Amino acid sequence: MKMRIPLAKPEITDADREAVMEVLRTPNLSSGPKVQEFEQAICDYAGSKHAVAVNSGTSALQIAVRSLGLDAGAEVILPSFTFSALLNVILQEGPRPKFVDIDPESYNTTPELIAAAITEDTQLVIAVHTFGIPADVPGIISAISSLSRAGRPRHTIQVIEDACEALGTEVEGRKAGILGDAGLFAFYPNKQITTGEGGVLVTSDERLARQARILRNQGRDPTLSWEDHAEIGFSYRLSDMNCALGISQLKRLEYVTEKRQHLAESYDRRLQGIADLVRPPLSSVIGRISWFLYPVRLSDRFTRADRDWICDSLASEGIATGRYFAPLHRQPVLRNCGVTTTELPNTESVADRVIALPFFNELTEAEVEQVCSELEDSIHKWLRKT
Ligand SMILES: Cc1ncc(COP(=O)(O)O)c(C=O)c1O
C-alpha cells in the first residue's frame, strides 16, 4: 500500500547526484579512488585509525566476527532486542549466541546485564547503540576488564560495537563505533546517511583491518600476486558510486543529526499529553543521541495484538509505522539450530508494544502533527472498542 507518510525516506540532494555522476564519467566504478576517499572520510569523522568499506552493515559484522578468530564452542553475548542481521551472522559464523535483556528506558543492554551473562566460554560481546541512543560501551568494557582481573573468564573477551543505527551518536565525548575492538556503521536508505547499500568496519587494530580487507575481496591478500587465493573470502566490496554518495552525504551529517534531534523534540512536545504512550528520552547522560528512528511505546495494558491493531489503523490513514524489533531469542530459526534461550521480560514487553513513527530528514512539522493526531485518534478508537 502506498503510504501518504512513509516510515523513512532518504534525502538526496543535487550535490549527491552530481557526486555519483562524476564517478560514472570515469572508468573507475569499483575498487577505485572513491573507496579510499570514503574510508578516509569515515576515519576523519569518527576518529578511527582504519575503515574498511563493504556492501552492507551485515557484511561488516560478518568480516569483523570472522577476523576476530573465535575458538570453536565460543559464546557470543548480544541483546535480543535488535536487528536480525546479528543473529544471521552469528549462526553462519558458528559461535553460540547468548541473549541478554535491555533497559526499557534506553532500549539498550547494560554493563550489569552483560557482566551477569558472561561465562567461561564467552569470547565476544556485541554492544548495540539501539535507535542511535548511546549504549554504555565504556561501562561494558570496564565490567569485562574487572571480571578478567578477577580471573574470570578464561578467554579474552572482545567487543564489537554495532553502531549501524548510530552514525553521529557520541559516548562520553567520543564517536560511537570506535570504542571496542571493531565498530560497524550501515548506510541503507533508512539510516542517518545513505550509500544506497553499504557498511563500514572501523578499528584501531592494524591486523584486523588488513584481515577485513582480504576477506571483503574474495580472500585475496594484496601482498601476494592477484592470482593467489590466500583465504576463504567474500565478495563484499562497495562500489565507487556508493562511496561517492557516502562522501557527499557525510558532509551533511552534523546538519542531519541536529535536524533529527529537532524532529524528535517536535514529536515529544506533541505526544506529551497522551497518557498511554511512553516517549523515548530526548537526551542521554552518557552522550549524544543521533536518531535513527523515533520509537514510542504503548503502556502495559496494551498487548501485541492491540499494538498491531493501532499500526493497521494508522496504515489505513496512509501513515507507515515500524514494529522494531522482533526479539531474536524468539525467532523460529533458533529451533533448528539447537540454541536454547531464556525469557527476557523487558525485551518481550518492549517488543510487543513499540511503534516506530515516520522519521526522516524532510519530515515536516505538519506531517509530525498529522502522525500524532492519527496516533491519538487510533488509541482512542481502540479504547472505545474495548
Ligand atoms: C543494529 C544493526 N546491525 C546491523 C545492521 C545491518 O545493516 P545492513 O542492513 O546494512 O546489512 C542493521 C541494519 O539496519 C542494524 O540495525
Side-chain angles (χ1 to χ4, degrees):
M1 192 194 314
K2 172 110 175 71
M3 292 291 166
R4 190 158 48 95
I5 308 184
L7 182 56
K9 193 166 70 171
E11 183 183 42
I12 304 295
T13 65
D14 286 345
D16 295 336
R17 286 185 199 94
E18 186 43 40
V20 176
M21 281 306 292
E22 197 190 303
V23 174
L24 289 171
R25 290 187 203 105
T26 76
N28 303 314
L29 306 190
S30 179
S31 306
K34 291 294 167 191
V35 180
Q36 274 180 21
E37 200 181 317
F38 182 45
E39 291 177 342
Q40 190 55 51
I42 291 284
C43 284
D44 294 344
Y45 171 75
S48 68
K49 261 197 185 151
H50 308 280
V52 182
V54 288
N55 58 0
S56 72
T58 309
S59 302
L61 177 60
Q62 186 166 17
I63 60 175
V65 172
R66 179 78 60 95
S67 302
L68 289 174
L70 309 179
D71 298 336
E75 180 180 75
V76 176
I77 295 178
L78 72 158
S80 167
F81 187 72
T82 190
F83 188 56
S84 54
L86 280 77
L87 183 54
N88 276 328
V89 166
I90 289 167
L91 295 178
Q92 276 161 15
E93 289 301 303
R96 199 163 6 99
K98 181 166 190 188
F99 301 103
V100 285
D101 214 348
I102 52 164
D103 158 27
E105 293 315 306
S106 67
Y107 292 97
N108 283 319
T109 190
T110 65
E112 295 73 27
L113 289 165
I114 299 237
I118 286 173
T119 69
E120 288 281 281
D121 294 329
T122 309
Q123 292 190 20
L124 176 64
V125 169
I126 306 180
V128 184
H129 300 285
T130 312
F131 304 144
I133 300 172
D136 186 2
V137 179
I140 290 170
I141 292 171
S142 79
I144 292 171
S145 307
S146 310
L147 285 174
S148 302
R149 276 197 302 277
R152 271 194 320 129
R154 63 194 148 110
H155 301 281
T156 306
I157 299 179
Q158 307 187 80
V159 175
I160 292 179
E161 195 188 354
D162 184 334
C164 284
E165 298 170 14
L167 188 74
T169 295
E170 291 176 5
V171 188
E172 296 180 353
R174 300 172 74 200
K175 298 284 188 292
I178 62 161
L179 307 166
D181 296 283
L184 322 167
F185 299 118
F187 306 109
Y188 189 75
N190 62 357
K191 297 297 189 307
Q192 289 88 340
I193 69 162
T194 187
T195 57
E197 295 279 359
V200 166
L201 181 157
V202 289
T203 182
S204 56
D205 180 339
E206 173 111 38
R207 186 209 63 82
L208 197 104
R210 189 174 162 277
Q211 185 63 12
R213 288 181 199 288
I214 292 173
L215 289 178
R216 81 169 160 186
N217 191 22
Q218 303 286 8
R220 279 187 202 124
D221 184 338
T223 61
L224 303 176
S225 94
W226 193 86
E227 299 87 11
D228 285 330
H229 184 167
E231 305 199 23
I232 303 169
F234 305 102
S235 184
Y236 284 171
R237 293 174 307 275
L238 188 64
S239 85
D240 280 58
M241 286 87 76
N242 298 107
C243 290
L245 181 56
I247 294 162
S248 181
Q249 291 249 319
L250 190 57
K251 291 182 187 150
R252 294 204 303 283
L253 181 59
E254 196 48 43
Y255 153 79
V256 167
T257 312
E258 282 173 20
K259 172 84 213 223
R260 291 165 93 95
Q261 175 68 24
H262 287 140
L263 285 174
E265 287 167 11
S266 297
Y267 266 129
D268 185 78
R269 266 194 306 278
R270 176 58 180 79
L271 296 172
Q272 264 172 33
I274 306 178
D276 279 300
L277 273 189
V278 182
R279 305 183 314 281
L282 279 182
S283 60
S284 159
V285 286
I286 57 165
R288 177 167 85 154
I289 302 173
S290 168
W291 297 91
F292 161 45
L293 50 76
Y294 186 80
V296 291
R297 207 161 71 234
L298 295 164
S299 67
D300 285 350
R301 67 173 162 144
F302 291 76
T303 63
R304 175 158 35 151
D306 300 332
R307 186 273 312 270
D308 292 349
W309 189 91
I310 288 168
C311 289
D312 291 347
S313 162
L314 282 159
S316 70
E317 297 300 328
I319 294 171
T321 53
R323 299 164 210 196
Y324 299 113
F325 290 100
L328 300 186
H329 74 286
R330 279 179 174 173
Q331 294 309 313
V333 65
L334 290 174
R335 283 189 225 126
N336 306 326
C337 300
V339 176
T340 51
T341 59
T342 54
E343 286 180 2
L344 301 171
N346 291 341
T347 297
E348 288 162 25
S349 169
V350 165
D352 285 351
R353 293 174 181 82
V354 79
I355 303 177
L357 300 180
F359 200 73
F360 46 91
N361 300 349
E362 292 165 300
L363 188 70
T364 64
E365 291 291 331
E367 286 171 324
V368 169
E369 173 54 37
Q370 283 174 52
V371 172
C372 295
S373 101
E374 292 295 349
L375 176 61
E376 198 169 12
D377 279 1
S378 299
I379 293 174
H380 287 151
K381 268 193 243 161
W382 178 84
L383 287 170
R384 282 198 297 274
K385 179 172 92 66
T386 51

